[in-house]
């Protein structure tokens, strides 16, 4: 009977050895995956290892790492819409800067861009101010979409027609996101 138990003991021992080897391989694989390639210490001259060493793993700075299960945007809270009473002055300022067709582009663009979100400011870089039809603002902005939920639209009268200015709350401030111009009817 002792002989029949022996193959079973060998199988159990073999299973344990294979399981231990698989566990060790898994641990090494996970350890290699956890090392930042940018933090790897170059192998010493003549060294045959191309893998990160424990010295490289110790050089990692984990002081700024987020806890597991979070990403960089988990703590971002959307900005509250800017105060409604601050929208009209932004529309007026943009309109006054936009209507300065007498300025060279090198002075016109920074003046209008100061009121705009990044994308719209970038698109205005191609505008030749000499082609802007208005030369001055003739009245106050009038809300056609009252400032609410981070959006607003104003019409601003100029000497050549009506400038429509679209605003959005960006980073807690009103920014111009688009404009349109409707020429006054000729008499």
């Amino acid at each position: 009977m002792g002989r029949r138990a022996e193959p079973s003991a060998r199988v159990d021992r073999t299973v344990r050895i294979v399981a231990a080897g698989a566990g060790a391989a898994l641990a090494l694989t996970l350890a290699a995956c956890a090392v930042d390639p940018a933090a790897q210490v170059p192998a010493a001259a003549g060294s045959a290892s191309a893998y990160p060493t424990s010295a490289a793993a110790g050089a990692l700075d984990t002081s700024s790492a987020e806890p597991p299960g979070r990403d960089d945007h988990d703590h971002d809270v959307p900005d509250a819409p800017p105060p409604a009473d601050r929208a009209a002055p932004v529309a007026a300022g943009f309109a006054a800067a936009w209507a300065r067709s007498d300025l060279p582009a090198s002075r016109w663009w920074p003046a209008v861009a100061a009121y705009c979100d990044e994308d719209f400011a970038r698109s205005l870089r191609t505008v030749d101010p000499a082609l802007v039809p208005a030369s001055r603002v003739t009245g106050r902005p009038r809300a056609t979409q009252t400032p609410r939920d981070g959006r607003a639209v104003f019409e601003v009268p100029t000497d050549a027609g009506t400038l429509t200015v679209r605003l959005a709350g960006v980073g807690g401030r009103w920014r111009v996101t688009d404009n349109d111009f409707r020429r006054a009817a000729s008499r």
Side-chain angles (χ1 to χ4, degrees), residues 35-64:
V35 174
D36 180 7
Q40 290 182 8
V41 176
S47 170
S49 175
Y51 296 100
T53 64
S54 59
L60 292 177
D61 177 17
T62 58
S63 62
S64 64

Side-chain angles (χ1 to χ4, degrees), residues 5-107:
E6 195 173 300
S8 175
R10 272 195 301 233
V11 169
D12 285 344
R13 183 171 184 252
T14 303
V15 168
R16 282 192 300 254
I17 291 172
V18 169
L26 178 61
L28 287 173
T29 301
L30 290 174
C33 291
V35 174
D36 180 7
Q40 290 182 8
V41 176
S47 170
S49 175
Y51 296 100
T53 64
S54 59
L60 292 177
D61 177 17
T62 58
S63 62
S64 64
E66 285 193 9
R70 296 184 54 92
D71 64 28
D72 291 337
H73 306 289
D74 286 342
H75 45 70
D76 292 347
V77 176
D79 294 322
D85 63 338
R86 294 193 182 155
V90 172
F94 173 79
W98 179 84
R100 293 293 312 267
S101 56
D102 60 319
L103 292 178
S106 62
R107 289 187 47 217

Side-chain angles (χ1 to χ4, degrees), residues 104-185:
S106 62
R107 289 187 47 217
W108 180 87
W109 183 80
V112 295
Y115 296 96
C116 302
D117 75 340
E118 289 181 33
D119 291 337
F120 188 54
R122 195 174 309 116
S123 72
L124 290 176
R125 273 221 183 259
T126 62
V127 173
D128 178 357
L131 300 177
V132 170
S135 61
R136 63 185 171 82
V137 171
T138 59
R140 294 178 182 230
R142 182 180 63 81
T144 58
Q145 178 184 336
T146 58
R148 184 176 40 234
D149 299 326
R151 300 266 180 233
V153 179
F154 289 88
E155 288 186 345
V156 183
T158 72
D159 61 343
T162 303
L163 176 65
T164 301
V165 181
R166 287 175 188 75
L167 304 171
V170 178
R173 297 171 52 196
W174 288 107
R175 308 305 272 163
V176 178
T177 59
D178 195 15
N179 76 305
D180 196 13
F181 186 76
R182 189 176 62 247
R183 286 189 181 272

